[in-house]
């Protein structure tokens, strides 16, 4: 039985119209993702990765094209239902003054209860489990703004776990954290996919992407190329990231080398 995509993108045009402060018109995007896919979105700075993710998350309107989420045009899905289906974590560290980690993660349950609905014991258990799963249980009463960047990213992932969406989008989740925390974050994301979640995250960490993800969405200037990491490496597509630079990635050793 052929599995239907949870995300199906057809002829999507992302960018800004002429009235915006800046313009981006990326080639038409056609791609899809299945339940449980672990996908890294890779591309050079300014190519449009954040714009692409924000468009899928309905935080920025598309110019044209279709995004089908679970068989329905995503613009037609009611907001509270969409929040149960897809969650988005931006690149910028989250700030929430005078709010504890517990209070922050509990907000993720409001799509199921509404802003005026009470949090049930079941919701509290879900929130507790989410915080425990990212090893922040001892930080539950700490203010979010007192955490390190790595701890704050874990709190964001706890939020996503508590939100229990089928699709998780993350924009540069490892950009502001140290090396050990980067591996912890990627491990947590991979564990979500083993539970059937579809995780798509943008990153500049090519080494980690090649080693850990199922699929790479590679944003090049002339369009999006998708494939398994080993396939994109063997056909030398990944090295197109380094065009017009003095370096390249030697996939036999996994190291960056200078061109001679």
């Amino acid at each position: 039985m052929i599995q239907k995509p949870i995300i199906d993108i057809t002829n999507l045009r992302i960018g800004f119209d002429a009235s915006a402060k800046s313009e981006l018109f990326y080639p038409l995007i056609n791609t899809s993702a299945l339940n449980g896919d672990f996908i890294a979105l890779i591309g050079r700075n300014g190519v449009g990765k954040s714009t692409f993710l924000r468009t899928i998350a309905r935080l920025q309107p598309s110019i044209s094209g279709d995004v089908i989420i679970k068989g329905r045009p995503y613009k037609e899905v009611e907001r509270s239902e969409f929040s149960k289906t897809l969650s988005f974590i931006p690149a910028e560290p989250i700030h929430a003054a005078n709010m504890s980690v517990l209070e922050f993660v509990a907000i993720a349950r409001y799509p199921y209860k509404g802003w005026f609905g009470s949090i049930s014991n079941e919701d509290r258990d879900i929130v507790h489990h989410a915080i425990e799963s990212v090893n922040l249980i001892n930080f539950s009463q700490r203010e979010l703004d007192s955490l390190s960047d790595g701890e704050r990213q874990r709190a964001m992932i706890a939020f996503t776990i508590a939100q229990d969406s089928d699709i998780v989008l993350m924009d540069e989740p490892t950009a502001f954290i140290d090396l050990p925390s980067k591996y912890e974050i990627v491990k947590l994301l991979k564990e979500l996919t083993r539970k059937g979640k579809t995780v798509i995250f943008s990153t500049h960490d090519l080494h980690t992407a090649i080693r850990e993800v199922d699929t790479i969405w590679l944003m090049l200037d002339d369009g999006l190329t998708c494939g398994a990491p080993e396939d994109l490496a063997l056909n030398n597509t990944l090295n197109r990231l380094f065009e017009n630079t003095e370096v390249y990635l030697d996939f036999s050793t996994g190291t960056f080398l200078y061109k001679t």
Side-chain angles (χ1 to χ4, degrees):
M1 182 177 178
I2 299 176
Q3 184 181 358
K4 292 184 178 180
I6 191 170
I7 303 175
D8 196 7
I9 299 172
T10 305
N11 294 331
L12 181 66
R13 175 80 71 184
I14 62 172
F16 307 90
D17 59 30
S19 63
K21 293 181 180 179
S22 62
E23 294 184 21
L24 165 68
F25 294 103
Y26 192 74
L28 295 179
I29 296 174
N30 291 275
T31 190
S32 62
L34 301 175
N35 287 88
D37 274 353
F38 194 22
I39 300 171
L41 178 64
I42 294 175
R44 296 176 73 168
N45 286 339
V47 74
K49 299 187 299 298
S50 296
T51 300
F52 185 23
L53 291 178
R54 288 177 60 83
T55 301
I56 300 173
R58 296 202 319 193
L59 298 173
Q60 183 171 319
S62 61
I63 296 174
S64 61
D66 297 313
V67 178
I68 306 298
I69 304 288
K70 298 180 70 173
R72 296 174 59 189
Y74 78 145
K75 293 179 181 178
E76 298 179 5
V77 181
E78 196 271 330
R79 182 175 296 180
S80 63
E81 183 181 349
F82 193 77
S83 296
K84 298 173 187 177
T85 302
L86 185 147
S87 56
F88 174 77
I89 300 178
E92 301 79 14
I94 298 298
H95 295 280
N98 303 315
M99 181 177 288
S100 70
V101 171
L102 180 64
E103 292 168 332
F104 172 71
V105 177
I107 294 174
R109 298 304 300 166
Y110 282 104
Y112 300 89
K113 299 295 181 181
W115 289 104
F116 300 103
S118 60
I119 297 295
S120 67
N121 288 333
E122 180 184 0
D123 292 318
R124 292 188 181 92
D125 289 342
I126 291 171
V127 170
H128 179 88
H129 168 73
I131 295 172
E132 187 176 44
S133 68
V134 299
N135 298 318
L136 283 182
I137 199 66
N138 293 330
F139 295 76
S140 295
Q141 301 304 323
R142 285 265 302 270
E143 287 193 11
L144 191 68
D145 281 358
S146 72
L147 302 181
S148 68
D149 288 337
E151 291 162 349
R152 202 174 305 170
Q153 282 289 32
R154 291 210 298 270
M156 285 300 306
I157 294 177
F159 187 102
T160 294
I161 293 171
Q163 189 172 338
D164 197 25
S165 60
D166 298 311
I167 302 165
V168 178
L169 306 182
M170 297 188 73
D171 192 3
E172 293 283 358
T174 61
F176 302 100
I177 56 181
D178 58 26
L179 188 61
S181 296
K182 285 185 179 184
Y183 289 114
E184 290 177 2
I185 294 297
V186 172
K187 179 184 177 183
L188 285 169
L189 296 179
K190 196 167 186 177
E191 288 174 354
L192 289 180
T193 66
R194 290 170 178 161
K195 297 175 181 178
K197 310 294 186 184
T198 299
V199 177
I200 305 170
F201 71 105
S202 64
T203 181
H204 288 287
D205 188 348
L206 192 55
H207 281 130
T208 300
I210 292 171
R211 186 174 59 251
E212 300 292 345
V213 304
D214 305 310
T215 304
I216 288 177
W217 288 359
L218 183 63
M219 292 188 75
L220 300 169
D221 291 336
D222 57 358
L224 183 74
T225 298
C226 305
E230 56 270 23
D231 293 336
L232 296 180
L234 289 172
N235 64 23
N236 214 37
T237 301
L238 284 177
N239 259 319
R240 290 194 58 198
L241 285 170
F242 308 103
E243 290 176 346
N244 302 316
T245 72
E246 295 301 317
V247 299
Y248 71 98
L249 181 59
D250 183 348
F251 293 104
S252 64
T253 62
T255 57
F256 291 98
L257 301 174
Y258 286 104
K259 297 175 183 177
T260 57

